[in-house]
Structure formats: structure tokens, C-alpha cells
């Protein structure tokens, strides 16, 4: 492996992506909305509802769906307070995975498709690397910022969620084992899956927008997780999150095997 060339291409991709408005705006706006805006809004509503005794009866259905370990850990909270903790710790957890997935997909969409739009693809395919090394460089160039955005989002969300919980509940609620697994095990796996699919798409289409639209479809399973929890079909637990991470890493291996087997720079040259 020519690691010097691989890291040179990957670092160049990161620097170019961070100077591209179509990449930077989603990397700024989505984390702010998800990790700051939504929990702050929910905290504001819960704080107002906590002052109204009538609101507790409206939260009863939600609190009855909570797992037994939740009830024992947060015993003594009223229905509004328990509902807020339940939302911030459990119901919102799948939404966090959108962050690393989206970040890596945005950068990956700019990989080959962006090279085509900037007319730099011809120089890229003549770099002293094999097809596999070139693909690995493109993957690393998207995985690193995707993972960093995910970890940064986790830190920001932990701070915001704890501030909200201190105001309404009077205690710190994060980090816990479930969220640590999400941030350090499942999040990177989701980022790798999103960028793998998007890099494959980016090498086959002619524009950043096409690659991003195709890559954004990988968010659909996350949406299903959110809907499933909201409807009470299941509840994320430590073991379920661990299993989800294992499944995602296995899916990553399959995606990258397919990408490595099918990627050819000669095919890219035909699209210039």
C-alpha cells in the first residue's frame, strides 16, 4: 500500500470539501438543528409543561412505555420530567445516527463527482496508486470528517441535553452506556456505510447533486428506527444498539468488497 499517496489524496479531499459551500452548509446546519435546536425546543416545552399539573396526565401513556430499568433509575420524577428524559435519552437516539451518516455522505458525494465538476478527475486517475488505493483514499477522505462530525455532535448534544435536564429535572442524564455505544461504535459504522454507498454512486454519476441524492437514501433505515420507537414497536437498549453496530460493520464489509471489486479508474476516464 502506498500510504503516502493515500493520505495525500485523502487530506486533499478533506481540505477541498471544507472549502465547498454545498458541503459546508449541511455540515453546519444539520448538527445545529439536530443537536441543539430540537433538544432545546423540547426542553422549553417540557419546562413550561412542568409548571402545569394537567400536563402530567397527557404524558402518562408515554411513561407507561418506559422499560423497567428506566423506572427504577429515575424514580421520583413526575410524568413530564420522565417524559423529557425518555425523549432525550431513548427516543432521540436514532436521530443522532443521521449526523455521521449525513456528514460522510456529503463529503463522499464530492469525491469523484466533485472531481468531475472541477475538471480535476483526469489528474486524479493518473496518480501513482492502484485502483484499490485510490478507492481507499476516497473512503478515508470522507470517513474522517464524518466520524469527527459525529463525535463533535455527541459532545454538543451531551452538553445541551444535560443543560436542559438540569433545568427541568435537576440532574445530569448523559453520557450513558447506550450513547457511548452510539457515538464510538455505531456512529462510525453508520458513517462508513453511508460513505461506501455514496462513493460507489459518486463514481458512476456526473454531478455532486446526483451523488448526494442517491447517497441520502441510506438515511431511510434511520427514519424507520425513529418511527418504530415512536410507535412503540421496540425500544433501543444497550444490547440492541450493540447488535445494530455489528450489523452495520458487517454491511460495511459487504459494501466495500463490492466497491473494491467493481471500481476501475478506466471506467472513470470514460466519463470525463
Amino acid at each position: 500500500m502506498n500510504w503516502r499517496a493515500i493520505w495525500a489524496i485523502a487530506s486533499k479531499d478533506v481540505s477541498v470539501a471544507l472549502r465547498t459551500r454545498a458541503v459546508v452548509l449541511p455540515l453546519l446546519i444539520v448538527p445545529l438543528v439536530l443537536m441543539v435546536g430540537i433538544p432545546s425546543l423540547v426542553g422549553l416545552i417540557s419546562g413550561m409543561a412542568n409548571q402545569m399539573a394537567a400536563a402530567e396526565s397527557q404524558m402518562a401513556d408515554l411513561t407507561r412505555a418506559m422499560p423497567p430499568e428506566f423506572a427504577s433509575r429515575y424514580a421520583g420524577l413526575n410524568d413530564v420530567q420522565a417524559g423529557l428524559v425518555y425523549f432525550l435519552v431513548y427516543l432521540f437516539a436514532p436521530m443522532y445516527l443521521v449526523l455521521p451518516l449525513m456528514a460522510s455522505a456529503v463529503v463522499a458525494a464530492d469525491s469523484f463527482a466533485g472531481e468531475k465538476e472541477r475538471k480535476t478527475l483526469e489528474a486524479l486517475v493518473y496518480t501513482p496508486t492502484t485502483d484499490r488505493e485510490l478507492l481507499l483514499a476516497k473512503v478515508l477522505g470522507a470517513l474522517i470528517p464524518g466520524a469527527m462530525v459525529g463525535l463533535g455532535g455527541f459532545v454538543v448534544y451531551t452538553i445541551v441535553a444535560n443543560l436542559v435536564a438540569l433545568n427541568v429535572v435537576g440532574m445530569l442524564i448523559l453520557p450513558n452506556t447506550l450513547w457511548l455505544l452510539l457515538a464510538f461504535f455505531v456512529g462510525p459504522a453508520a458513517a462508513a456505510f453511508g460513505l461506501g454507498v455514496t462513493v460507489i454512486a459518486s463514481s458512476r454519476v456526473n454531478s455532486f447533486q446526483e451523488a448526494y441524492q442517491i447517497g441520502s437514501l441510506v438515511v431511510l433505515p434511520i427514519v424507520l428506527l425513529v418511527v418504530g420507537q415512536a410507535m412503540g414497536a421496540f425500544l433501543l437498549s444497550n444490547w440492541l444498539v450493540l447488535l445494530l453496530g455489528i450489523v452495520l460493520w458487517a454491511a460495511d464489509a459487504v459494501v466495500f468488497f463490492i466497491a473494491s471489486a467493481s471500481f476501475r479508474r478506466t471506467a472513470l476516464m470514460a466519463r470525463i
Side-chain angles (χ1 to χ4, degrees), residues 15-259:
S15 63
V16 170
L18 294 180
R19 294 196 301 267
T20 305
R21 182 179 299 180
V23 174
V24 173
L25 287 180
L27 295 184
L28 292 176
I29 295 173
V30 174
L32 285 175
V33 172
L34 285 180
M35 302 293 104
V36 179
I38 293 178
S40 298
L41 179 61
V42 171
L44 178 63
I45 295 173
S46 297
M48 296 172 60
N50 197 39
Q51 306 300 320
M52 303 166 58
E56 294 196 14
S57 62
Q58 299 173 4
M59 299 293 294
D61 291 339
L62 177 61
T63 55
R64 280 197 292 269
M66 297 177 184
E69 60 270 19
F70 182 96
S72 60
R73 182 174 182 180
Y74 298 105
L77 300 183
N78 62 40
D79 286 342
V80 173
Q81 293 172 327
L84 173 66
V85 175
Y86 186 57
F87 176 87
L88 294 176
V89 176
Y90 290 96
L91 290 183
F92 192 78
M95 290 297 296
Y96 164 76
L97 296 178
V98 172
L99 204 57
L101 209 164
M102 176 277 306
S104 61
V106 169
V107 179
D110 190 59
S111 57
F112 295 111
E115 300 277 4
K116 295 173 188 176
E117 293 182 334
R118 292 186 293 269
K119 308 299 182 183
T120 56
L121 183 58
E122 185 173 3
L124 177 68
V125 297
Y126 284 121
T127 55
T129 57
T130 64
D131 289 346
R132 182 169 295 182
E133 289 169 347
L134 180 57
L135 179 63
L136 178 59
K138 288 296 186 179
V139 166
L140 287 175
L143 179 60
I144 293 172
M148 294 304 295
V149 169
L151 291 176
F154 166 69
V155 173
V156 171
Y157 182 78
T158 298
I159 294 172
V160 173
N162 280 332
L163 289 174
V164 168
L166 280 174
N167 180 55
V168 179
V169 183
M171 67 172 65
L172 300 177
I173 58 175
L174 291 176
N176 60 5
T177 302
L178 185 145
W179 273 86
L180 290 174
L181 284 171
L182 280 173
F184 292 97
F185 184 59
V186 183
F193 182 75
L195 75 90
V197 173
T198 309
V199 164
I200 294 174
S202 183
S203 65
R204 287 165 169 75
V205 299
N206 296 314
S207 70
F208 169 82
Q209 290 299 331
E210 289 180 283
Y212 182 58
Q213 287 169 5
I214 295 173
S216 63
L217 294 177
V218 297
V219 177
L220 291 179
I222 306 302
V223 175
L224 293 178
L225 283 177
V226 174
V227 173
Q229 276 212 131
M231 296 180 64
F234 61 89
L235 178 70
L236 284 183
S237 63
N238 295 344
W239 288 107
L240 185 57
V241 170
L242 182 63
L243 177 62
L244 176 61
I246 293 172
V247 170
L248 278 174
W249 282 116
D252 293 340
V254 173
V255 169
F256 289 120
F257 176 80
I258 294 173

